[in-house]
Amino acid sequence: MRMERLPKRQRHQQLSKLLDENPFLTDRELTRLLKVSIQTIRLDRLELAIPELRERLKQMAERSYDSIRSLPLDEVIGDVLDLHLDKSGISLFEISEEHVFSRSGIARGHHVFAQANSLAVAVINDEIALTASADIRFVRPARLGEKCIAKAYVRSSRGQKAKVEVITYVGEEMVFQGDFIIYRSASETKT
Amino acid sequence: MRMERLPKRQRHQQLSKLLDENPFLTDRELTRLLKVSIQTIRLDRLELAIPELRERLKQMAERSYDSIRSLPLDEVIGDVLDLHLDKSGISLFEISEEHVFSRSGIARGHHVFAQANSLAVAVINDEIALTASADIRFVRPARLGEKCIAKAYVRSSRGQKAKVEVITYVGEEMVFQGDFIIYRSASETKT
DNA sequence: TAACTTTTAATACCTGGTGCCAATAAGAGT
DNA sequence: ACTCTTATTGGCACCAGGTATTAAAAGTTA
C-alpha cells in the first residue's frame, strides 16, 4: 500500500506554497513550474480546494473592496448609550471584520482610539471641541466580535482646557485607558 | 453642430458612477441597468477607457496584494510614500470632507491619529504588531484639503517593544506629534 | 500478472469578454 | 427631402482560463 512515490504530496505542498506567494499564477504557468501536465495541476487544485485564478482574484478584490468601504470614520464612532454633557458619556462599539488585522483578529489601535476620542469630544458641551493631546494605553487587545464599552468622565474643565478620562471595557476587562485634553472654543457660557 | 441629444454623455456619467459604486458589474448586468445593448456598453467602456470586469478585479487584487509583508497597504490610513522596515516610513493623507467637523472644517483627531498609528504599526517589520501605548499631541488643527505628511522613525527596538516617533506635517508646519510603543509578536530582532 | 493509483489526453462546454464588419436609427445641415 | 454624421445594435469569429467528463497510459506495488 505505502507507495514509494509521494511526489504528489510534495507537489501539493509546493503548489500551495507557490500560490501563496503568488496567487496570480495560471494553471499553465504552474505546469512550467511543477513539470506536470495541466490536468494534474487541475486535479491538484481540486483536491486542495484551491479555486481557479479568476475566482482567486475576485475574492482578493472583494476583500480589499470591503475594507476600503469600511474606513469612513464619521461623527461619533460607536453608539452613544448615555451622555451627560460636561460630565460623562458611554458608547458602545462592536469590533467587526473591517476593524481587525485579518491575521490575528485583533482590532487596529486607531479604531479603539477613535471610539474613545470621539466620545471625549462629544461629551464636551461646546460648538468646537478639539483634541489637544492624549496619553493612552492599550491595556489588552480587543478582538473580533467583542463589544467595547467606552466610559468618559470629565475630570476638570477650566477655561479652554478640559481633561477627559476614557476607559474602555470588554465585559469586566479594561482594554483601553486614555487621558485626553480637549480644547473648547470659548467659555462654557456659550452653549 | 451642437446636437440636442446627449443621452450618451449622461449614460457615460451613469456608467462611471455605477462602476464606481460597484466595480463587480458585468457588461450584461449593465445592459439591464442602462437599458442599452451590450455593444453600446462596450463602446462606452472603450471611450471611457474602463477595462473589462476581469481586468478591474485583477487590478484591485494587485493593488491589495502590493503589500509589504505584515501589512497590506490598504490597511494603512493614507498612502505609503516610503517605507524602510524597522527604520522609518512616510505616508500622505489628505483631509477630505468626511474627516472634518462640518462646522469648523477641522479634522477630527482620530483621523490624524489613525494615519500616525497605522504608519507606526506598518513600519514595524513583524507578523503581528500592536500599539501598546502612545503619548500624543495635536500641535495645531489640520484642516479640510490639507495634505498631511506623517513621518515615522523607529527610535528603539529591544525585545518585544519598539518605540516609534511619528511627526505629522502640513507643509512646514507640525500638526501632530506622537510617541508610540508597539508590541511585536517575537522573532525578528534584526535592525 | 493483476489490481491499484496517478498522470496525461481529448473533448465539449462555460463566462466574460475583444475585434471587426455591417445594418439600422437618429439627428443636424442645407 | 435628401444628404452627412454620429449612435446604436447585431452577428460572427476568436480568446483566456478555466470546469466537467470520459478514457487511455504509465507507474507501483503485492
Side-chain angles (χ1 to χ4, degrees), chain B residues 15-145:
Chain B
L15 190 143
S16 301
K17 194 182 157 201
L18 282 168
L19 286 181
D20 207 50
E21 287 168 1
N22 181 6
F24 297 86
L25 292 169
T26 65
D27 288 358
R28 204 164 301 277
E29 287 168 326
L30 288 166
T31 63
R32 291 209 331 277
L33 297 170
L34 295 178
K35 313 284 185 196
V36 287
S37 73
I38 201 162
Q39 289 82 354
T40 304
I41 297 290
R42 287 170 179 168
L43 282 173
D44 286 355
R45 274 199 301 101
L46 201 69
E47 288 187 64
L48 296 171
I50 296 172
E52 60 169 301
L53 170 65
R54 285 160 174 171
E55 191 54 35
R56 296 196 299 270
L57 296 187
K58 191 179 171 191
Q59 286 175 13
M60 293 173 70
E62 275 169 350
R63 273 206 307 281
S64 80
Y65 192 69
D66 280 343
S67 58
I68 311 176
R69 297 169 79 173
S70 71
L71 202 65
L73 279 188
D74 46 21
E75 294 191 354
V76 177
I77 310 296
D79 303 315
V80 175
L81 304 180
D82 190 56
L83 194 64
H84 301 284
L85 291 175
D86 277 325
K87 287 185 184 143
S88 65
I90 299 179
S91 80
L92 164 69
F93 178 58
E94 186 171 347
I95 308 293
S96 57
E97 282 291 349
E98 65 266 32
H99 307 122
V100 303
F101 293 99
S102 49
R103 284 173 185 253
S104 55
I106 290 176
R108 285 169 225 276
H110 47 266
H111 291 108
V112 175
F113 174 84
Q115 178 190 17
N117 179 64
S118 57
L119 182 62
V121 169
V123 83
I124 294 301
N125 176 22
D126 218 330
E127 290 242 336
I128 294 178
L130 298 173
T131 312
S133 63
D135 194 354
I136 60 180
R137 282 184 303 141
F138 294 89
V139 181
R140 81 137 169 90
R143 298 180 169 278
L144 179 60

Side-chain angles (χ1 to χ4, degrees), chain A residues 124-188:
Chain A
I124 293 301
N125 176 22
D126 217 330
E127 289 237 338
I128 294 177
L130 298 174
T131 313
S133 63
D135 194 356
I136 61 181
R137 283 184 302 141
F138 295 89
V139 181
R140 81 136 169 92
R143 301 182 164 278
L144 179 60
E146 291 184 330
K147 291 179 174 60
C148 296
I149 306 284
K151 300 187 178 181
Y153 308 95
V154 179
R155 294 306 188 197
S156 71
S157 175
R158 278 186 292 277
Q160 294 201 207
K161 277 189 188 174
K163 284 189 187 178
V164 182
E165 181 179 18
V166 181
I167 299 180
T168 305
Y169 301 89
V170 169
E172 299 295 300
E173 291 182 89
M174 186 189 292
V175 296
F176 172 93
Q177 188 270 338
D179 292 302
F180 294 81
I181 297 196
I182 309 289
Y183 265 119
R184 58 189 352 168
S185 59
S187 56
E188 38 278 54

Side-chain angles (χ1 to χ4, degrees), chain A residues 82-119:
Chain A
D82 189 57
L83 194 65
H84 302 284
L85 290 174
D86 278 327
K87 286 184 186 143
S88 65
I90 298 178
S91 79
L92 164 69
F93 177 57
E94 186 171 347
I95 308 293
S96 57
E97 281 290 349
E98 64 266 32
H99 307 121
V100 304
F101 293 100
S102 48
R103 288 180 183 249
S104 56
I106 290 176
R108 285 182 253 279
H110 47 266
H111 289 110
V112 175
F113 175 85
Q115 178 190 17
N117 180 64
S118 58
L119 182 62

